[in-house]
Amino acid sequence: MRLLIVEDNRELASWLGKALRQAQYAVDIAYDGEDAEHMLKVAGYAVVILDLSLPKIDGLTLLKRLRQGGNKVPVIILTANASLDGRVAGLDSGADDYLAKPFEIAELEARVRAVVRRGHDRAAPEIAVGDLLFDGGTRQFFLGGETLALTPREHAVLEHLMMKVGTTVTKTALSESVFGFDDLADTSAIEIYVHRVRKKLEGSAVQIATLRGLGYLLRHAQ
């Protein structure tokens, strides 16, 4: 999944980006509201992690513009303002969750997983296709009851397809969920990772089908 961190404290943003990449997310970082607004117009994100005290465009204004424009991307507010009025203002402006600084990275990751599940209308933390199981709580894959070893990019590919199971995912959409702005990858690069995931699913009851001209579909093997 691809996340956007909007935080003007570069040290904090760098720490968050590193921690979330280690948790197998693709991460982009914007240091002001203006850059974030542009990035949200040209790329799709699973979650936005938004500070409120931003230069150029403050966090609440950015959030209001997003919602007024019809963008429903889940937003988790991070701020040093833990007052009741501050929380109410953020939630009323369209935030999905609110986390006060300082915080533990494990709690932020849990909140990211929770808003993603809500966004996909999945109350249950587990998704199964054939003998492939995805545990939404730990973000681990199990194949035939055994842990499926995946590289971060392979994990991102399979997770996106799993969250969209039953739906055709375009190559562009899959690429955007896996690569950040700094990765300099085109859509053809995604074919390599899809191929690698297919190899790891060989012999199982699940497959990634290619629908020519449309994209990829994760489904039960026929």
Side-chain angles (χ1 to χ4, degrees), residues 157 161 167-172 174 187-188 190-199 201 206-222:
V157 166
L161 291 172
T167 303
T168 301
V169 178
T170 68
K171 188 183 294 185
T172 298
L174 190 56
T187 54
S188 63
I190 206 68
E191 297 174 5
I192 297 171
Y193 295 102
V194 170
H195 173 73
R196 290 178 181 175
V197 174
R198 278 181 172 143
K199 294 288 288 183
L201 295 177
V206 63
Q207 65 177 189
I208 301 173
T210 299
L211 305 181
R212 191 172 299 277
L214 297 174
Y216 301 105
L217 176 66
L218 185 70
R219 66 187 183 189
H220 194 287
Q222 297 177 350

Side-chain angles (χ1 to χ4, degrees), residues 37 57 60-71:
E37 187 172 47
I57 302 174
L60 279 183
T61 298
L62 175 62
L63 179 55
K64 290 175 182 176
R65 289 184 182 179
L66 274 178
R67 298 308 188 226
Q68 288 168 359
N71 192 326

Side-chain angles (χ1 to χ4, degrees), residues 25-45:
Y25 293 102
V27 178
D28 289 327
I29 298 175
Y31 300 107
D32 61 65
E34 191 173 272
D35 282 349
E37 187 172 47
H38 170 71
M39 294 164 78
L40 284 158
K41 288 178 179 177
V42 300
Y45 294 97

Side-chain angles (χ1 to χ4, degrees), residues 51-95:
D51 184 39
L52 294 184
S53 301
L54 297 170
K56 298 185 180 179
I57 302 174
D58 68 85
L60 279 183
T61 298
L62 175 62
L63 179 55
K64 290 175 182 176
R65 289 184 182 179
L66 274 178
R67 298 308 188 226
Q68 288 168 359
N71 192 326
K72 297 180 181 179
V73 60
V75 174
I76 299 174
I77 287 178
L78 295 183
T79 182
N81 179 7
S83 69
L84 175 61
D85 288 346
R87 294 197 301 273
V88 170
L91 295 171
D92 282 348
S93 297

Side-chain angles (χ1 to χ4, degrees), residues 62-145:
L62 175 62
L63 179 55
K64 290 175 182 176
R65 289 184 182 179
L66 274 178
R67 298 308 188 226
Q68 288 168 359
N71 192 326
K72 297 180 181 179
V73 60
V75 174
I76 299 174
I77 287 178
L78 295 183
T79 182
N81 179 7
S83 69
L84 175 61
D85 288 346
R87 294 197 301 273
V88 170
L91 295 171
D92 282 348
S93 297
D96 296 86
D97 204 349
Y98 198 106
L99 189 58
K101 301 174 184 176
F103 57 87
E104 296 293 333
I105 190 65
E107 182 178 5
L108 176 59
E109 288 180 29
R111 290 173 183 262
V112 168
R113 292 192 296 269
V115 297
V116 168
R117 287 198 301 270
R118 290 201 298 269
H120 288 84
D121 296 323
R122 297 190 185 278
E126 293 186 351
I127 307 170
V129 180
D131 52 353
L132 178 67
L133 176 71
F134 176 67
D135 185 333
T138 63
R139 295 183 63 231
Q140 286 185 298
F141 283 98
F142 300 90
L143 186 63

